[in-house]
Amino acid sequence: RLNPLVTPDGAFVLSSIVDITERKRAAAALEASLREKETLLNEVHHRVKNNLQVISSLLSLQAGYVKDHQLGEMLQDSQNRVHSIALVHEKLYRAGNLARINLGEYLETLTEHLQAALGDSLDRVQLVVEASDLELPLDSAVPCGLVVNELVTNALKHAFPDGRRGSVTVRAALGSGKKVTV
């Protein structure tokens, strides 16, 4: 640094030199450590998602051998629950933000999957998701997804008997105290 300094004896330049080599080394090491942790966390989400998809596939395989309709439905419900958790990890893995999930996108994908999995409601029941760009942390997204999974599954199975038509709306909004309400 150079600073002008005017004194009764004349104009001088005050200089100071600070060695920031160690500070730059520490910042580079911190940055490398952060990248390494992000890569590791990304890999963890990817592996968890893959493992949950394997569990979901195993449940599907098992359901194919079951003769009891009620037991088959129970296995399907379990498969959908596992899928709702796997979907959180997939969204985190793909989004690049490893700590928070876009709730609107997640609920849209989840409800589409549930409607496709339950099949017969595709042309009769309209699913509507109303969620602004809310983000949830992982520890809130998983239970939220499980609750929505149960509510939508029950609505699709029981709210429209005898081929009736209708719609199911899933609404998520920021409530009082900045808490998400679904």
Side-chain angles (χ1 to χ4, degrees):
R1 294 184 186 154
L2 298 174
N3 293 316
L5 183 65
V6 179
T7 69
D9 294 331
F12 295 93
V13 175
L14 177 63
S15 70
S16 63
I17 300 171
V18 177
D19 184 3
I20 60 168
T21 305
E22 195 56 41
R23 192 181 316 161
K24 283 189 169 190
R25 248 188 237 132
L30 187 61
E31 183 68 30
S33 176
L34 180 61
R35 279 193 308 273
E36 184 179 305
K37 285 182 173 88
E38 285 176 348
T39 300
L40 181 61
L41 190 54
N42 205 357
E43 183 64 23
V44 166
H45 283 302
H46 184 65
R47 287 179 186 240
V48 167
K49 173 193 68 95
N50 286 348
N51 288 337
L52 289 169
Q53 286 178 332
V54 167
I55 293 168
S56 179
S57 295
L58 291 171
L59 288 169
S60 179
L61 274 171
Q62 192 66 44
Y65 293 110
V66 172
K67 303 289 186 237
D68 182 351
H69 178 71
Q70 186 177 9
L71 183 57
E73 278 189 4
M74 290 170 63
L75 287 169
Q76 171 80 44
D77 289 346
S78 295
Q79 182 183 5
N80 288 336
R81 289 178 189 116
V82 169
H83 180 79
S84 74
I85 298 169
L87 189 57
V88 169
H89 290 278
E90 180 179 345
K91 293 289 183 186
L92 288 169
Y93 174 73
R94 292 183 188 270
N97 179 348
L98 300 173
R100 302 185 71 76
I101 185 172
N102 181 304
L103 186 60
E105 289 178 13
Y106 171 62
L107 293 177
E108 191 74 44
T109 306
L110 177 61
T111 55
E112 286 171 5
H113 167 78
L114 290 171
Q115 190 168 32
L118 296 171
D120 66 335
S121 67
L122 281 172
D123 56 347
R124 305 182 289 109
V125 180
Q126 178 186 13
L127 275 171
V128 178
V129 175
E130 297 175 0
S132 57
D133 287 335
L134 299 173
E135 290 190 342
L136 283 182
L138 175 64
D139 62 343
S140 298
V142 169
C144 179
L146 288 170
V147 168
V148 170
N149 181 79
E150 296 303 309
L151 293 171
V152 171
T153 297
N154 287 339
L156 292 174
K157 283 183 174 182
H158 307 294
F160 307 99
D162 304 322
R164 292 185 191 151
R165 297 184 168 281
S167 68
V168 174
T169 301
V170 177
R171 184 175 296 123
L174 198 57
S176 63
K178 296 195 177 198
K179 292 190 177 186
V180 174
T181 304
V182 179

